[in-house]
Amino acid sequence: SRSTATNFTRFWRGMEAIMSHLGQYRDVHMDTVTREKVASLRKFRDLVLESLERQSGGRYSVWQLRHIYQHLLLESQQSAERARVPWEVPAFWEECLENLPLDEDTVTDDEVANALLTWLEGAVCLPEAHVDDTDGFEGSSCIDTEEQSPWSDMSPGRRLPSLVVAS
């Protein structure tokens, strides 16, 4: 059998499936905007896991991500027009589209997973663990929703920082 590393994207989907199977999964204590953003991020997660094709070296092309973002933007705009989701959801995907690197660039599974984790933390305002160069984690703070996109600091050949777990 093929071994696949588990990044946040796979972990999140797997844990939701386990919790749902056990009857313990619930979307509680979320306002409408947060709930709809999280639902949209779930759709993004599932589309990434089910429809992106890896290129050599386990990388994805940015144009594939752009296609997913555009799909989610259009879907959320149509839902917002029918008052099914708040306008903050399509605004989120518009911002994501604006901050994507060039279509010719590629990103890794981990870069996509890290971006997804950053967006999810921002949507639900979870504390973020900051990694320093000495011994692991230093403090935490609530992510400001006005913070830069995870993609905005990417230039060709530059990768998002990977998740580091203190042992």
Side-chain angles (χ1 to χ4, degrees), residues 3-71:
S3 173
T4 302
T6 300
N7 61 26
F8 176 73
T9 310
R10 289 182 184 91
F11 175 79
W12 180 21
R13 183 161 77 172
M15 287 307 298
E16 278 190 352
I18 290 167
M19 298 302 287
S20 180
H21 178 75
L22 295 174
Q24 298 298 312
Y25 177 78
R26 308 181 275 280
D27 277 335
V28 295
H29 308 297
M30 283 192 244
D31 59 71
T32 303
V33 171
T34 302
R35 186 175 46 256
E36 294 301 329
K37 280 185 180 179
V38 170
S40 189
L41 289 171
R42 276 189 194 104
K43 288 177 187 176
F44 173 77
R45 173 200 69 196
D46 293 341
L47 286 168
V48 164
L49 291 173
E50 295 163 7
S51 66
L52 284 186
E53 296 178 25
R54 282 191 195 162
Q55 297 179 346
S56 63
R59 300 183 71 82
Y60 299 115
S61 68
V62 170
W63 71 263
Q64 288 178 308
L65 285 175
R66 187 173 310 280
H67 179 75
I68 290 175
Y69 285 23
Q70 289 168 336
H71 168 77

Side-chain angles (χ1 to χ4, degrees), residues 96-110:
C96 288
L97 271 166
E98 291 172 9
N99 290 310
L100 268 175
L102 300 173
D103 281 353
E104 301 79 38
D105 290 344
T106 60
V107 293
T108 66
D109 268 351
D110 286 340

Side-chain angles (χ1 to χ4, degrees), residues 74-95:
L74 179 62
E75 181 180 272
S76 61
Q77 285 173 332
Q78 291 170 345
S79 292
E81 288 170 0
R82 292 185 216 114
R84 293 183 184 158
V85 301
W87 279 102
E88 289 87 346
V89 177
F92 169 79
W93 289 113
E94 283 177 358
E95 182 181 342

Side-chain angles (χ1 to χ4, degrees), residues 78 116 126 163:
Q78 291 170 345
L116 182 57
L126 289 176
L163 290 176

Side-chain angles (χ1 to χ4, degrees), residues 122-134:
V124 299
C125 201
L126 289 176
E128 177 184 34
H130 299 282
V131 179
D132 66 20
D133 292 336
T134 56

